[in-house]
């Protein structure tokens, strides 16, 4: 078969959405005609549609060694970003924007790549003087949504919420990613009360319920159907992620009593995924499936309980919970607030973070554990624990998104009470001038010499990161969005947390 005929036949299969056959035939063609860009593009499309993102990424990586066309660089950058390979994504997307400054989707994804690497200064610069007038509203909305995330990560939640709202308005009020990100950003905003934040979540929940309609919500018998309960966990974080680190020790205990089913929406997999697979009784991948097909896949598992681990964080599939896919549905671990959904029966919390006397207005019942809702297990690598340096040093390794002016004023009082003390702030975004300037200005207004602040960025390994705590005497927590992983890490390294 000639190359031209091969390309025509694969193209016809893609047109008919016969992804399996398209991939088989495109790869067969590549064995006959290696390094053919058009066949590589077709193989990439088929693999992506089949949910095989690894194969798609490798096809795309090979393709950009043969072609410097912006579309190929854009596809590689977008795929690399899904795999959290932000540096590779940056390199490819920068080339696209350099050659096609008007490519708004490339700019949007480059904003996301800059966020991942903590280069917020370049992200803000990239967003300036952009002509969005000639682009579809959905493309503009994606750009605005990613720009909002830049400002959220820089510690400007109010500005971020406004931009997320603008992205939603561009799509007639319905942009699922912007909607969840807006709610997530609300948790960082000290100007909002708990009641206001919960109300925003419940408004979203009512909107989701209306969009889905009662016909797509199943009536469920609340009794457990199986002698050995089948519990499914829904997450986009079954990988190297804080949620997975806290989940793994829980699963090690639970698997002795229940069947664990992972409902996986993770963008990529790694060695943590492999460990979780060994603990699970079943594994269902829903990445790339629409809500209807994902719901069918989950219902086919015949589960007794569905536990959402993501809330409104990245890669969530919360609208699935609105369809009532299990007799009991819970929220746990990955989100610090209500989901806003009436179909989520309870949140698993504890008596310290959510005491009995706290006011709770979310639709979920609070299931309080007296033992703590977190199970933190530190890394197994050998760590040095020894105080380095003289004098008192405060520190916070939380994201700058949590470090608002109110908490900086409190920290300023502590620094003024100890005139020789220093403050170490560590996070990948602390290399950005926009972040440093905001923090220095706020502390200077509070009467603290900015020269007493030591900004640190990303370290090479988890071991290096944890051993940086040796330079800290007292770790300062944030408010209203407190630390979780950072708090556990500080305590694990023997550092007092206030």
């Amino acid at each position: 078969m000639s190359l031209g005929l091969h390309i025509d036949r694969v193209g016809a299969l893609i047109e008919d959405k016969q992804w399996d056959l398209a991939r088989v035939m495109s790869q067969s063609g590549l064995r006959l005609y290696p390094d053919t860009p058009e066949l590589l593009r077709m193989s990439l499309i088929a693999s992506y549609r089949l949910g095989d993102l690894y194969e798609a990424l490798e096809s795309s990586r090979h393709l950009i060694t043969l072609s410097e066309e912006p579309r190929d660089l854009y596809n590689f950058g977008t795929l690399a970003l899904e795999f959290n390979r932000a540096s590779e994504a940056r390199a490819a997307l920068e080339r696209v924007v350099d050659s096609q400054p008007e490519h708004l989707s490339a700019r949007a994804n480059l904003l996301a790549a800059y966020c991942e690497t903590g280069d917020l200064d370049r992200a803000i610069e990239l967003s300036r003087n952009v002509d969005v007038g000639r682009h579809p509203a959905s493309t503009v909305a994606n750009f605005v949504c990613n720009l909002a995330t830049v400002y959220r990560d820089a510690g400007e939640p109010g500005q971020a919420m406004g931009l997320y709202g603008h992205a939603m308005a561009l799509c007639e009020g319905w942009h699922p990613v912007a909607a969840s990100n807006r709610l997530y950003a609300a948790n960082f905003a000290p100007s909002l009360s708990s009641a206001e934040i919960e109300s925003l979540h419940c408004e979203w929940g009512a909107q989701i319920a209306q969009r889905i309609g009662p016909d797509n919500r199943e009536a469920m018998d609340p009794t457990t159907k199986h002698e050995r309960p089948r519990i499914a966990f829904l997450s986009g974080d079954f990988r190297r992620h804080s949620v997975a680190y806290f989940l793994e020790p829980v699963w090690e205990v639970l698997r002795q009593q229940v069947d664990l089913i992972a409902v996986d929406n993770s963008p990529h997999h790694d060695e943590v995924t492999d460990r979780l697979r060994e603990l699970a009784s079943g594994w269902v991948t829903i990445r790339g499936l629409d809500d209807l097909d994902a719901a069918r896949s989950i219902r086919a598992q015949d589960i007794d309980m569905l536990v959402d681990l993501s809330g409104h964080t990245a890669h969530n599939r919360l609208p699935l919970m609105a369809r009532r896919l299990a007799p009991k549905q819970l929220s746990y671990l990955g989100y610090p607030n209500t989901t806003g959904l009436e179909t989520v029966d309870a949140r698993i919390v504890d008596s310290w973070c959510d005491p009995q006397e706290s006011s709770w207005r979310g639709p979920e019942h609070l299931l309080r554990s007296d033992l703590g809702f977190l199970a933190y297990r530190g890394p197994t690598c050998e760590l040095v624990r020894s105080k380095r340096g003289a004098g008192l040093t405060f520190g916070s390794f939380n994201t700058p998104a949590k470090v608002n002016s109110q908490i900086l004023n409190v920290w300023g009082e502590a620094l003024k009470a100890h005139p020789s003390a220093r403050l170490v702030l560590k996070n990948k975004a602390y290399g950005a001038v926009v972040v440093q300037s905001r923090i220095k200005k706020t502390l200077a207004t509070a009467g603290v010499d900015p020269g007493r602040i030591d900004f640190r960025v990303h370290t090479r390994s988890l071991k290096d990161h944890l051993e940086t705590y040796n330079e800290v005497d007292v770790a300062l927590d944030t408010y209203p969005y407190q630390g979780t992983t950072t708090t556990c890490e500080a305590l694990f390294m023997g550092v007092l947390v206030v």
Side-chain angles (χ1 to χ4, degrees):
M1 186 187 302
S2 68
L3 174 60
L5 185 57
H6 220 116
I7 289 173
D8 289 343
R9 289 192 175 179
V10 177
L13 291 171
I14 287 176
E15 185 73 23
D16 291 340
K17 299 182 179 179
Q18 297 186 53
W19 310 120
D20 281 309
L21 286 174
R23 179 161 71 168
V24 168
M25 195 162 185
S26 62
Q27 292 179 348
S28 172
L30 285 167
R31 286 191 290 272
L32 293 171
Y33 306 101
D35 298 342
T36 303
E38 193 57 35
L39 286 175
L40 277 167
R41 290 186 189 104
M42 292 175 169
S43 176
L44 186 163
I45 292 169
S47 295
Y48 186 85
R49 291 293 187 176
L50 289 167
D52 190 346
L53 302 189
Y54 290 97
E55 181 65 35
L57 179 67
E58 291 312 307
S59 293
S60 186
R61 189 190 303 282
H62 187 188
L63 180 57
I64 64 171
T65 66
L66 306 170
S67 166
E68 294 189 0
E69 288 191 33
R71 59 171 172 165
D72 298 323
L73 290 166
Y74 171 77
N75 287 335
F76 175 74
T78 302
L79 281 166
L81 197 56
E82 288 217 37
F83 281 83
N84 204 30
R85 298 178 183 178
S87 295
E88 291 182 90
R90 274 181 64 160
L93 293 168
E94 283 173 344
R95 290 169 65 187
V96 178
V97 172
D98 286 345
S99 64
Q100 294 186 338
E102 73 285 356
H103 198 316
L104 194 61
S105 292
R107 280 183 180 266
N109 288 350
L110 186 52
L111 285 175
Y114 284 149
C115 274
E116 285 297 318
T117 56
D119 199 345
L120 304 185
D121 296 326
R122 295 193 71 175
I124 292 171
E125 183 63 32
L126 182 72
S127 70
R128 293 189 174 125
N129 302 318
V130 178
D131 179 12
V132 299
R134 297 182 294 106
H135 298 277
S138 59
T139 303
V140 178
N142 291 338
F143 176 80
V144 172
C145 183
N146 286 357
L147 178 60
T149 301
V150 173
Y151 283 102
R152 184 198 71 199
D153 289 357
E156 301 287 354
Q159 191 165 355
M161 289 181 69
L163 287 167
Y164 287 132
H166 181 45
M168 293 163 63
L170 286 167
C171 297
E172 299 181 351
W174 185 245
H175 189 296
V177 174
S180 272
N181 279 342
R182 179 170 172 263
L183 296 176
Y184 179 48
N187 293 289
F188 298 96
S191 60
L192 295 176
S193 68
S194 297
E196 289 171 321
I197 295 172
E198 288 163 4
S199 177
L200 288 172
H201 283 73
C202 291
E203 288 172 10
W204 173 88
Q207 185 182 20
I208 286 289
Q210 184 177 17
R211 292 184 70 88
I212 290 175
D215 294 340
N216 287 310
R217 291 194 294 273
E218 288 196 7
M220 292 277 184
D221 182 349
T223 57
T224 301
K225 296 179 285 186
H226 303 94
E227 184 176 345
R228 182 178 170 89
R230 291 174 60 79
I231 302 179
F233 290 79
L234 170 62
S235 181
D237 300 319
F238 293 127
R239 54 197 168 92
R240 200 179 300 121
H241 188 279
S242 294
V243 166
Y245 298 148
F246 285 106
L247 182 67
E248 190 173 358
V250 173
W251 273 19
E252 288 174 358
V253 175
L254 275 182
R255 71 191 296 254
Q256 301 170 24
Q257 304 167 19
V258 304
D259 287 339
L260 301 171
I261 314 297
V263 182
D264 182 18
N265 194 51
S266 305
H268 61 272
H269 296 152
D270 51 36
E271 75 283 354
V272 176
T273 315
D274 295 338
R275 293 202 305 266
L276 291 172
R277 280 184 183 275
E278 291 180 3
L279 297 173
S281 305
W283 198 280
V284 181
T285 299
I286 60 169
R287 185 79 180 178
L289 299 182
D290 63 26
D291 282 357
L292 286 175
D293 287 339
R296 292 189 193 102
S297 297
I298 296 170
R299 288 190 182 109
Q301 298 303 308
D302 192 28
I303 55 178
D304 299 294
M305 182 182 294
L306 180 59
V307 183
D308 175 68
L309 299 172
S310 297
H312 289 280
T313 61
H315 312 297
N316 80 76
R317 298 296 295 269
L318 262 186
L320 291 172
M321 301 290 282
R323 294 174 178 270
R324 177 59 78 179
L325 302 179
K328 297 183 180 69
Q329 297 195 148
L330 276 66
S331 172
Y332 174 55
L333 192 58
Y335 193 65
N337 217 317
T338 177
T339 61
L341 292 172
E342 297 281 351
T343 49
V344 176
D345 304 301
R347 283 183 68 221
I348 300 174
V349 296
D350 62 38
S351 300
W352 291 285
C353 294
D354 292 271
Q356 291 286 349
E357 61 271 18
S358 63
S359 59
W360 174 250
R361 301 170 186 83
E364 306 95 337
H365 172 68
L366 296 185
L367 288 178
R368 292 182 175 90
S369 167
D370 291 331
L371 300 176
F373 81 102
L374 295 173
Y376 177 78
R377 179 171 57 199
T380 57
C381 60
E382 186 175 339
L383 295 165
V384 174
R385 289 180 174 86
S386 63
K387 179 71 172 70
R388 294 199 297 265
L392 176 63
T393 302
F394 296 108
S396 178
F397 294 3
N398 288 288
T399 168
K402 296 181 178 181
V403 181
N404 55 66
S405 58
Q406 290 185 15
I407 200 66
L408 283 170
N409 286 328
V410 174
W411 293 356
E413 291 301 314
L415 287 164
K416 284 191 292 183
H418 300 276
S420 63
R422 297 186 61 78
L423 174 62
V424 175
L425 298 176
K426 180 180 182 298
N427 182 273
K428 63 186 178 184
Y430 279 126
V433 173
V434 64
V435 175
Q436 292 187 13
S437 298
R438 174 178 66 85
I439 290 173
K440 287 179 178 179
K441 181 179 178 180
T442 304
L443 285 174
T445 302
V448 176
D449 179 2
R452 296 167 64 187
I453 311 165
D454 186 1
F455 293 102
R456 305 289 183 85
V457 292
H458 186 69
T459 43
R460 291 177 301 172
S461 67
L462 179 59
K463 174 180 168 64
D464 291 339
H465 166 70
L466 290 174
E467 288 182 350
T468 308
Y469 279 104
N470 290 328
E471 301 178 35
V472 176
D473 299 291
V474 179
L476 300 175
D477 200 5
T478 50
Y479 184 85
Y481 196 157
Q482 294 95 345
T484 303
T485 305
T486 50
T487 300
C488 291
E489 288 175 344
L491 293 171
F492 180 71
M493 292 301 293
V495 177
L496 174 68
V497 179
V498 176

